[in-house]
Amino acid sequence: MTKPSSQAQFDELIHAPLRLRICASLAPVDWAEFAHLKKNLGVADSVLSKHLKQLGAAGYVHVERFTKLGRSHVRVSLTTVGRRAYVGHVAALREITAN
């Protein structure tokens, strides 16, 4: 019998399919622009905003607004807490599916 990983922690907030996909999209990068996430996830602005707001309220993502070439942009990144929660959630899923 294998001992559960101390970092494995199932996270109900991250487990929702779209929030899991958001975290998976952000995990390998420092940040992603809102428009890029929206396009890759195939969702409306309002849907993505709602899920980012929930992840942000938990301290899992940081949303930054900035101006580039006179245009307003939004970029999103996983926080240290969010990255730890995502990695722990994926580890928990691996443990569940290994049995």
Side-chain angles (χ1 to χ4, degrees), residues 16-23 25 33-55 76:
L18 186 58
R19 289 191 294 273
L20 181 58
R21 291 176 60 209
I22 291 168
C23 291
S25 296
E33 285 205 32
F34 183 93
H36 178 77
L37 280 174
K38 180 184 122 172
K39 181 180 175 188
N40 284 349
L41 298 170
V43 295
D45 286 9
S46 60
V47 172
L48 181 55
S49 292
K50 175 186 170 190
H51 288 284
L52 289 176
K53 188 174 282 190
Q54 291 171 316
L55 290 167
V76 184

Side-chain angles (χ1 to χ4, degrees), residues 1-2 12 16 25 43 48 62 66 70 72 74 78 96:
M1 186 163 116
T2 60
E12 290 284 339
S25 296
V43 295
L48 181 55
H62 173 71
F66 66 100
S72 180
V74 176
L78 275 178
I96 291 167

